[in-house]
Amino acid sequence: VVVCLYWFTSIAMVFLNKYLLDSPSLRLDAPLFVTFFQCALTAALCLGLSLGAACGPPCAGLPALRLDPKVSRSVLPLSAVFIGMVTSNNLCLKHVGVAFYNVGRSLTTVFNVLLSYLLLKQTTSLYALLACGVIIGGFWLGVDQEGAEGTLSWTGIFFGILASLCVSLNAIYTKKVLPVVDGSIWRLTFYNNVNACVLFFPLMVLLGEFRTLYHFDKLGSPSFWGMMTLGGVFGFAIGYVTGLQIKFTSPLTHNVSGTAKACAQTVLAVIYFEETKSFLWWTSNLMVLGGSFAYTWVKGLEMRKVQEDPNVKSSERNETGV
């Protein structure tokens, strides 16, 4: 049930965001505003559920939330990376098709390995590096095939690579900042999104998005705000259902599920948008998905070996667990 819930939430969120960011019928060129609204809604939902915790189930057990300026400043570096992550994700989705979206931002695993070595001085096994090589090969083949079909957007590719980098940095900074919020992901989500809302304002002014919104003809449309709210709810829910999937299965199963979900999402997008793709284009997707699966499998085996071998050094145990 939780795997199905994760698939539904994740795929629905991608299609909803694609509609809000790049729909010909909507014609809203304000990607930062869409992202800002989702962050604001997430912060409001966190606060609302926290206030409802005193009422008992299903909110019981959630920590009380209050805005502490000192904590907010401590979380600010992570919030800057978080803004880069959500914005580049949405800008990538705006400029590339949903079918290519998974390939366009597929280098997260590669950046994980690279940053683990550069920042944490942790090495990676040969088999894991070979899996990363397959992912990189699939990425470049996908870019080549998008160019051959005349649908390549270098802007989308740039933001896809940036999104992959920011996702990796976000994981590292999250680990560093968690002690500031007493290890509570709930509190971290709240502070992250509040900080993001504040930081988005000058960016929207700088890029003229308030002027765009002023001339937007559907600004008073209930259906538009309904879709915006639905997109924000799915954006909030994805964090919760991801946690549920990990809790009721395992981190390894979660990664395998995510890889399979990306495959299903690609096929659905090709069918929904009535696209025709070449054999090599499909090969690039299979290389990315296969490389991601292989990397997850290799790391899972390494973690199991570390857990079963009591003689493994502490440093090696930490390296394998990243």
Side-chain angles (χ1 to χ4, degrees), residues 70-306:
K70 185 179 179 181
V71 175
S72 184
R73 285 194 299 270
S74 300
V75 176
L76 197 57
L78 173 62
S79 299
V81 175
F82 174 73
I83 282 181
M85 180 181 71
V86 295
T87 302
S88 53
N89 263 319
N90 279 350
L91 287 173
C92 175
L93 184 58
K94 176 179 173 64
H95 291 284
V96 304
V98 175
F100 186 70
Y101 177 60
N102 181 60
V103 173
R105 50 184 296 279
S106 61
L107 298 181
T108 299
T109 300
V110 178
F111 280 118
N112 280 341
V113 171
L114 184 61
L115 292 175
S116 292
Y117 179 74
L118 293 177
L119 301 180
L120 306 175
K121 305 302 178 185
Q122 294 173 346
T123 57
T124 304
S125 67
L126 176 61
Y127 289 117
L129 289 175
L130 289 175
C132 289
V134 173
I135 294 172
I136 294 172
F139 173 79
W140 281 115
L141 180 60
V143 171
D144 176 73
Q145 290 305 298
E146 283 287 301
E149 295 182 4
T151 55
L152 178 65
S153 166
W154 283 109
T155 303
I157 296 300
F158 169 76
F159 283 116
I161 295 173
L162 184 60
S164 300
L165 174 60
C166 288
V167 169
S168 298
L169 285 172
N170 187 73
I172 293 174
Y173 275 93
T174 296
K175 188 174 182 179
K176 290 183 177 181
V177 171
L178 266 175
V180 177
V181 290
D182 302 320
S184 171
I185 292 292
W186 190 259
R187 286 195 179 100
L188 186 61
T189 300
F190 174 70
Y191 277 104
N192 238 349
N193 283 277
V194 169
N195 284 349
C197 290
V198 174
L199 294 173
F200 268 126
F201 260 96
L203 292 175
M204 289 190 292
V205 172
L206 186 64
L207 296 177
E209 291 203 356
F210 287 109
R211 192 183 314 113
T212 302
L213 289 170
Y214 179 77
H215 295 288
F216 181 52
D217 58 350
K218 295 181 177 64
L219 196 61
S221 169
S223 61
F224 165 69
W225 288 109
M227 294 296 284
M228 286 282 287
T229 303
L230 193 59
V233 169
F234 274 109
F236 169 79
I238 188 63
Y240 180 69
V241 298
T242 297
L244 281 181
Q245 180 168 248
I246 294 172
K247 178 181 178 180
F248 287 103
T249 58
S250 69
L252 177 61
T253 304
H254 166 66
N255 287 332
V256 173
S257 173
T259 302
K261 186 274 306 181
C263 181
Q265 179 177 293
T266 300
V267 173
L268 283 173
V270 170
I271 295 172
Y272 180 78
F273 293 105
E274 299 179 347
E275 299 172 340
T276 302
K277 300 297 183 182
S278 66
F279 173 77
L280 287 178
W281 188 92
W282 285 108
T283 301
S284 72
N285 277 266
L286 290 175
M287 288 177 67
V288 166
L289 295 171
S292 300
F293 176 80
Y295 179 86
T296 299
W297 188 259
V298 168
K299 299 303 285 187
L301 291 176
E302 291 175 358
M303 289 177 68
R304 190 179 307 163
K305 181 180 177 182
V306 167

